[in-house]
């Protein structure tokens, strides 16, 4: 992890096309601005974590749903 000290109005460059600007410092809270290309998604950590959990849940079928689907598949016996 890179740890930097920045003051209001200063910026941090992340590659050639992402700029993080310090907008305001008030007590223990910092407001930042992020400039990035539109194809790059930017989320707060708690939102990103919630999205990942929802995606994992959506991709994992419940066991009873799998059982129900398996019961609907006809099983052919070989002679």
């Amino acid at each position: 992890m890179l740890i930097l000290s920045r003051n209001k109005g200063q910026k941090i460059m992340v590659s050639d096309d992402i700029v993080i600007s310090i907008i305001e410092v008030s007590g223990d809270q910092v407001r930042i601005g992020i400039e990035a290309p539109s194809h790059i998604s930017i989320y707060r950590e708690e939102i990103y974590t919630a999205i990942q959990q929802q995606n994992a849940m959506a991709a994992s079928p419940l066991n009873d749903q799998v059982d129900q689907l398996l019961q609907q598949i006809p099983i052919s016996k070989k002679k």
Side-chain angles (χ1 to χ4, degrees), residues 61-74:
L62 300 174
N63 286 338
D64 61 335
Q65 291 173 332
V66 172
D67 291 340
Q68 288 175 2
L69 287 172
L70 288 174
Q71 289 174 3
Q72 294 178 14
I73 298 173

Side-chain angles (χ1 to χ4, degrees), residues 10-22:
Q10 292 182 320
K11 299 179 180 192
I12 299 168
M13 299 295 300
V14 180
S15 75
D16 292 331
D17 55 359
I18 301 173
V19 180
I20 300 172
S21 302
I22 307 305

